Amino acid sequence: MTTTTITGARVFDGEKILGVTNVSVEDGKIVRIGREVPAGTEVVDGTGATLLPGLIDAHVHTSPESLALALRFGVTTELEMQGVNTRDRRTGISENDAVADVRSAGFGLTPPGGHPSELFPPGFNPGGEGGPPTGEPPFQPDATSPEGAAASIPRLLAHGSDYVKFMIDDGSVEGHPGLPMIDQATLNAGVAEARRYGALTVAHTLTIDATRMAVEAGIDGLAHLFVEPHTDEIIAMVKDAGMFVVPCAVLNASLMGITGDELADDPRVASRLDEDWDKTLRSSFNRYPQGDIEDVLTTIKVLSDAGVDVLVGTDASLPLPFLGGLAHGASVHHELQYLVRAGLTPAQALRAATATTARRFALTDRGRIAEGLRADLLLVDGDPTTTISDTLNTRAVWRSGVRLDR
């Protein structure tokens, strides 16, 4: 059995800087951290580089093609917040070391005609690129009544959902006010049933009012950050509830008409995107132009300072300009830059894309560089713990110990 040892790299273990040390990998796992190099090992020289845990994107809508793109950017796990890559449908993905691994909510609870239907032209199926891989269509939960929501939870979990998502959105931020939206009683019933089954719950919330509903229901985490300026009250509510927040600042920027042009112009990004993804990244949702991205960044810093767990997520989905400003993998690095711009340290931002996300989503086998964990690793030139954009200086990526052929 071949052992690979990455030597001479500065190691950030997902929580802290270990300094320059060697990391040995065997049979898909990290087996040794220390200065000694085992005899007969395959040596990868990491001099001048930093070794990180593989990055985790805590909010996507994905497919095998998008998972492959994510891995090229060192994102070794994507967490799908609506889609078809549930536990019963992803065997091929889980065994394919050329794509990122994935977890999925399946389909979220939203009433007929509710979000995200307003984003798509008539007849469009947003369930995933290419639709369901095989077999019966994905289970569509019922969000029309408390009884329907409660009954949907065990069926979602039986169909392989790893966590449960609730859409709390009246369409006002997307330029479609008055959309059908889950009501508080139905939300409460669904969340209570998920808790009874021990399932993690997340909520799509783009406004303070929706966030307040999520807090009242007992949601575990927010898959978005509201677009308005924060209030002391809502910060205290989120903190006291012990919630985590996936701000998706890159998505909020896109909603406000800010494109990903600057990121797309970076040759480290451009070299990894095809024409469709380049065009998508250079576009934007542009549905909430009255917003101010600085309000979002200020809220991120206030939440972090209050002790709320902030996670890196992007809401990257399909290579379509009307879903623009985002691209799988690339936008994780953009989100890291936004978090640092908000006032987090580079190390805090890196935790948000590794150990913190793994802990909040109970991914106990990844997110850190520690003996016995999966060898999901990213080796980059430079030092992203001081210069966050160095995360794009990819030297090597390993997924479950297998080095990606770049």
Side-chain angles (χ1 to χ4, degrees):
M1 193 174 296
T2 302
T3 301
T4 299
T5 301
I6 300 126
T7 64
R10 180 186 306 103
V11 175
F12 177 80
D13 72 355
E15 295 173 340
K16 61 187 181 300
I17 301 165
L18 300 183
V20 176
T21 191
N22 301 324
V23 175
S24 296
V25 173
E26 187 178 288
D27 195 26
K29 293 187 177 182
I30 299 163
V31 295
R32 185 186 183 98
I33 300 173
R35 292 193 176 275
E36 295 181 15
V37 179
T41 192
E42 175 191 350
V43 173
V44 175
D45 184 7
T47 304
T50 301
L51 187 66
L52 308 166
L55 305 178
I56 304 172
D57 189 334
H59 189 148
V60 300
H61 310 276
T62 196
S63 70
E65 295 78 13
S66 293
L67 290 164
L69 177 60
L71 190 63
R72 291 200 289 274
F73 283 94
V75 176
T76 53
T77 304
E78 289 196 326
L79 304 182
E80 185 173 63
M81 290 298 158
Q82 171 126 318
V84 301
N85 294 293
T86 45
R87 192 168 51 253
D88 56 344
R89 294 172 175 269
R90 61 170 180 256
T91 302
I93 290 171
S94 298
E95 297 172 352
N96 183 357
D97 292 322
V99 302
D101 199 11
V102 65
R103 298 291 182 272
S104 182
F107 274 53
L109 279 82
T110 191
H115 178 81
S117 63
E118 81 284 0
L119 298 179
F120 302 98
F124 186 86
N125 173 19
E129 296 174 38
T134 57
E136 63 180 299
F139 172 63
Q140 302 276 353
D142 180 1
T144 60
S145 69
E147 297 77 15
S152 292
I153 301 305
R155 294 189 64 191
L156 276 169
L157 299 176
H159 279 78
S161 291
D162 297 287
Y163 35 86
V164 181
K165 185 180 181 185
F166 298 83
M167 306 288 193
I168 314 174
D169 193 338
D170 67 357
S172 57
V173 175
E174 297 92 341
H176 290 268
L179 284 182
M181 187 180 81
I182 194 169
D183 61 47
Q184 189 72 59
T186 301
L187 176 64
N188 291 354
V191 174
E193 189 70 359
R195 184 182 297 115
R196 196 169 75 84
Y197 278 85
L200 183 78
T201 55
V202 294
H204 166 106
T205 53
L206 285 171
T207 65
I208 288 176
D209 285 345
T211 301
R212 192 176 287 112
M213 287 180 65
V215 173
E216 180 178 329
I219 288 282
D220 293 306
L222 303 175
H224 287 283
L225 182 59
F226 48 81
V227 294
E228 313 103 311
H230 74 273
T231 65
D232 291 342
E233 176 200 26
I234 198 63
I235 297 297
M237 290 177 71
V238 171
K239 176 186 177 182
D240 292 347
M243 304 172 91
F244 62 83
V245 178
V246 188
C248 293
V250 286
L251 180 277
N252 283 3
S254 178
L255 285 167
M256 295 169 184
I258 301 170
T259 72
D261 276 329
E262 185 175 350
L263 184 70
D265 286 339
D266 188 323
R268 298 172 296 180
V269 173
S271 62
R272 294 180 242 189
L273 298 181
D274 64 19
E275 183 178 352
D276 287 342
W277 277 113
D278 179 78
K279 185 176 180 180
T280 299
L281 185 56
R282 293 181 184 279
S283 304
S284 72
F285 277 71
N286 195 27
R287 291 171 180 261
Y288 194 75
Q290 65 269 40
D292 186 344
I293 191 60
E294 293 303 325
D295 290 335
V296 174
L297 300 182
T298 297
T299 302
I300 291 171
K301 182 64 161 66
V302 172
L303 286 168
S304 178
D305 287 350
V308 174
D309 282 334
V310 173
L311 280 53
V312 164
T314 65
D315 206 4
S317 55
L318 299 162
L320 297 168
F322 66 85
L323 302 173
L326 311 168
H328 287 266
S331 291
V332 169
H333 299 269
H334 203 188
E335 185 76 3
L336 288 167
Q337 294 172 25
Y338 267 121
L339 293 188
V340 172
R341 178 176 157 187
L344 276 64
T345 67
Q348 286 177 312
L350 291 169
R351 287 185 203 111
T354 55
T356 303
T357 298
R359 172 169 53 83
R360 293 306 302 245
F361 277 85
L363 301 172
T364 56
D365 63 344
R366 68 195 71 192
R368 292 178 296 120
I369 296 176
E371 292 179 5
L373 298 192
R374 276 173 63 108
D376 290 351
L377 301 168
L378 170 61
L379 185 67
V380 298
D381 290 319
D383 182 7
T385 67
T386 58
T387 304
I388 195 63
S389 61
D390 281 355
T391 58
L392 281 166
N393 296 333
T394 308
R395 189 185 291 190
V397 177
W398 290 264
R399 194 263 205 187
S400 197
V402 176
R403 184 169 181 170
L404 181 66
D405 182 1
R406 299 180 65 245

